[in-house]
Amino acid sequence: MVVKDGKLVGWNQPSRHPKGDSLFTYTTRSAMGFDRSGRADVAWVFTDTTQPLPYAFEDGPVVAHGRDSVPTLAGLGDRHWKKWKMETVVGGGPVLVYGGKIRVTNEEEGLFLRGEKDIHPRSAIGYTKDGRVIVLAVQGRTPGVATGVTLAEEAKVLLDLGCYEALNLDGGGSSCMLVNGKETIKPSDKTGERPVPSVFLIKKKS
């Protein structure tokens, strides 16, 4: 999901249909948002294309099932939620650090199932308790230089950097971070930076 200038412009996948299952599994994928004051928050979110704001679940991801491919909010069960009034949001997943502790929710979010030990290039974003934003890019798939990390190793790095909450972003060939136009890691694709549908930018105020 993506929120730009307070407007929801990219939505989460509403459900998954596991092979051999007669029911849809509803998903609340994680995202990091910033409100108008610049305060950051990580939450598991549900988006509805008929609503202007996403719904945030702060206690954990919702695991619910039903016969409708696109659930209503009621279909997620009686869970505490709030309308997430954020100015900027970047979606990803899974959550890696929550409440100052490692908490990897890939299974609940339906991401990287049984892939806890997979080693890949990674990207992540988080924030510290005093409001600093941490953006992490980990190089990988470059023999003799860097192999990458697992989700658990990525979470440990973020915790060591002081993150209070953090989540994984799209990794693999999509992992790249530029600072003043220069690559900080070498992308794993032989063709270089991979085209992606959205990017996260930090600009200096003019």
Side-chain angles (χ1 to χ4, degrees):
M1 69 166 291
V2 174
V3 172
K4 182 180 180 182
D5 298 327
K7 183 179 180 180
L8 184 61
V9 296
W11 293 262
N12 272 347
Q13 175 188 0
S15 64
R16 296 175 288 117
H17 200 186
K19 189 176 181 180
D21 197 332
S22 61
L23 298 177
F24 288 93
T25 297
Y26 302 143
T27 52
T28 47
R29 297 259 164 89
S30 51
M32 179 163 159
F34 302 87
D35 64 18
R36 288 186 177 182
S37 68
R39 183 188 64 86
D41 185 34
V42 168
W44 294 269
V45 294
F46 170 71
T47 57
D48 185 331
T49 56
T50 67
Q51 299 297 319
L53 293 173
Y55 298 91
F57 296 84
E58 298 282 1
D59 297 330
V62 175
V63 180
H65 310 275
R67 298 194 179 278
D68 295 323
S69 60
V70 180
T72 63
L73 187 62
L76 298 179
D78 187 19
R79 291 283 300 274
H80 178 70
W81 55 268
K82 67 179 181 182
K83 285 194 174 182
W84 215 30
K85 298 179 181 179
M86 292 289 161
E87 192 70 9
T88 301
V89 173
V90 56
V95 162
L96 300 170
V97 177
Y98 203 75
K101 298 179 181 179
I102 291 177
R103 183 180 180 184
V104 183
T105 57
N106 59 308
E107 291 289 334
E108 298 98 316
E109 294 186 48
L111 290 165
F112 313 111
L113 299 177
R114 294 171 293 281
E116 291 84 356
K117 296 182 180 180
D118 293 346
I119 298 174
H120 297 295
R122 304 281 185 184
S123 301
I125 188 169
Y127 69 94
T128 64
K129 240 182 173 180
D130 61 359
R132 291 178 297 141
V133 175
I134 304 292
V135 182
L136 175 70
V138 179
Q139 187 168 317
R141 300 177 188 166
T142 47
V145 179
T147 57
V149 292
T150 65
L151 290 172
E153 289 170 340
E154 183 184 25
K156 179 64 165 53
V157 171
L158 291 161
L159 190 67
D160 288 346
L161 289 172
C163 283
Y164 181 70
E165 294 184 341
L167 70 147
N168 181 69
L169 299 175
D170 193 17
S174 298
S175 284
C176 182
M177 181 163 63
L178 305 179
V179 176
N180 296 327
K182 296 182 179 179
E183 291 180 349
T184 59
I185 66 169
K186 180 177 176 58
S188 63
D189 283 7
K190 292 181 180 180
T191 53
E193 296 172 33
R194 178 184 293 181
V196 291
S198 63
V199 296
F200 183 74
L201 301 175
I202 300 175
K203 294 183 177 181
K204 185 178 181 178
K205 286 185 178 181
S206 56

